Amino acid sequence: MLTVHTLADWRAQLAAAPAAPIFVPTMGNLHDGHLALIRRARELSGDSGAPVVASIFVNRLQFGPNEDFDTYPRTLQRDQELLASAGCDILFAPSEAELYPQPQTYKVVPPTELADILEGAFRPGFFTGVCTVVHKLFNIIQPQAAVFGKKDYQQLMVIRNMVQQMALPIAIHGGETLRADDGLALSSRNGYLSADERAEAVQLQAALRRVREQVLAARQAGVATVEALHGFEQGATQALDARGWRTDYVLVRRQRDLLVPDAAELNAAEPLVILAASKLGRTRLIDNLEV
Ligand code: PAF
């Protein structure tokens, strides 16, 4: 696997590539979940000759002032080995000066109804930071397709929406969330957990599963209402907080636009997703479960 650090070196690679790349953007500190995205990209490439390209860039624009930008683990050498083992052809790993040679004052601002709810309500400006860097990376890499994990469910939806509205010729693929044996979704931030917190962390997914059972039972009985949903959401929040978590949200939403389902949709087959974010000690974990 080749690693390039500059736009000029990347553009030379792009000019020589037999087909437009399949792209997996990351912030590094990789785990098996990322590697599954690389393998998905490899499958999408098939025997077309399209190179599988990953990027590693810790994007300052998407971190809030009290978030972990400075301490976010930078593990380039290990990441390179992992990417190579998963079938990545080229890694684009620019420095901050290379990607943002001037302050990035042109930004891609996603619509408030999609980007200021859920994660966006607790991380102001997060999706503007994500869209700005992803749009810029798309302009640089010029991929035909890109793969994003479903663990960051809202991010995947925002990116799909951006690509559609901006008419970018890029197919967006969602990769399934990889989980540890006990059900904890793999995440770069799991490394921040102490041993006790790691054992407790599985409760987030357990809470989502309980909400899913409640929704399915209410749906089957034809008695699902928006009020009942609020009850399930609050019950899950209180159960986590009683164990010492500090929950930002547990919410049941429509898969298609992340808005609140109405009663008719709840009792029909409207695809739903339960999304949660909660803090355990100093670590904020997110997860989701489709219904
Ligand atoms: O999901 C991530 O790791 C980041 O948000 C992304 C898409 C690489 C943009 O910085």
Side-chain angles (χ1 to χ4, degrees):
M1 185 189 74
L2 185 73
T3 299
V4 295
H5 296 286
T6 66
L7 266 68
D9 285 349
W10 162 253
R11 284 179 178 143
Q13 292 303 317
L14 182 62
I22 317 286
F23 182 38
V24 182
T26 82
M27 298 204 302
N29 192 24
L30 303 179
H31 51 68
D32 284 345
H34 294 109
L35 302 185
L37 304 181
I38 299 287
R39 285 192 285 273
R40 180 82 190 281
R42 189 77 270 157
E43 277 167 29
L44 290 167
S45 168
D47 50 16
S48 70
V52 171
V53 177
S55 65
I56 293 182
F57 181 69
V58 185
N59 173 37
R60 185 187 290 276
L61 291 187
Q62 71 191 72
F63 286 78
N66 299 318
E67 293 185 354
D68 53 346
F69 176 77
D70 289 327
T71 54
Y72 199 86
R74 274 86 168 163
T75 53
L76 183 61
Q77 203 184 331
R78 185 172 170 275
D79 290 346
Q80 284 171 312
E81 287 160 17
L82 290 172
L83 287 170
S85 73
C88 179
D89 296 311
I90 306 175
L91 167 63
F92 177 58
S95 66
E96 208 172 1
E98 186 69 16
L99 205 66
Y100 297 140
Q102 303 149 351
Q104 183 71 31
T105 47
Y106 287 80
K107 302 220 167 118
V108 179
V109 183
T112 186
E113 64 273 16
L114 194 54
D116 294 342
I117 58 171
L118 301 158
E119 279 302 276
F122 290 89
R123 304 181 70 187
F126 172 70
F127 287 112
T128 296
V130 169
C131 285
T132 302
V133 80
V134 170
H135 199 287
K136 188 161 187 172
L137 288 167
F138 282 172
N139 286 337
I140 294 166
I141 302 298
Q142 298 186 26
Q144 57 173 299
V147 190
F148 291 82
K150 278 168 87 170
K151 158 113 186 330
D152 295 298
Y153 205 90
Q154 189 178 6
Q155 170 173 278
L156 172 61
M157 179 148 288
V158 169
I159 300 290
R160 276 194 206 286
N161 206 253
M162 174 182 82
V163 162
Q164 196 183 14
Q165 280 204 13
M166 296 295 195
L168 303 179
I170 303 170
I172 302 298
H173 297 266
E176 292 303 323
T177 302
L178 249 68
R179 298 184 178 280
D181 288 345
D182 65 358
L184 176 66
L186 298 192
S187 162
S188 300
R189 292 191 168 99
N190 292 351
Y192 297 156
L193 299 168
S194 69
D196 285 351
E197 288 167 350
R198 173 62 192 83
E200 173 65 21
V202 64
Q203 293 301 329
L204 185 60
Q205 173 63 198
L208 293 179
R209 288 201 190 140
R210 278 194 297 274
V211 173
R212 180 164 70 179
E213 280 163 26
Q214 291 171 316
V215 172
L216 288 174
R219 192 170 244 192
Q220 211 168 12
V223 296
T225 59
V226 177
E227 292 69 38
L229 270 199
H230 287 328
F232 304 154
E233 293 165 350
Q234 276 166 17
T237 299
Q238 283 159 8
L240 283 168
D241 289 359
R243 302 181 65 94
W245 294 70
R246 293 175 335 276
T247 302
D248 284 345
Y249 60 84
V250 177
L251 292 170
V252 183
R253 294 298 172 97
R254 303 197 294 221
Q255 282 183 27
R256 61 188 154 104
D257 55 10
L258 300 181
L259 294 182
V260 181
D262 64 29
E265 290 166 338
L266 275 175
N267 290 300
E270 175 72 31
L272 303 173
V273 56
I274 311 161
L275 306 110
S278 192
K279 288 190 218 76
L280 190 53
R282 299 210 314 266
T283 309
R284 187 171 182 278
L285 299 175
I286 65 170
D287 201 355
N288 63 76
L289 195 58
E290 290 179 332
V291 182

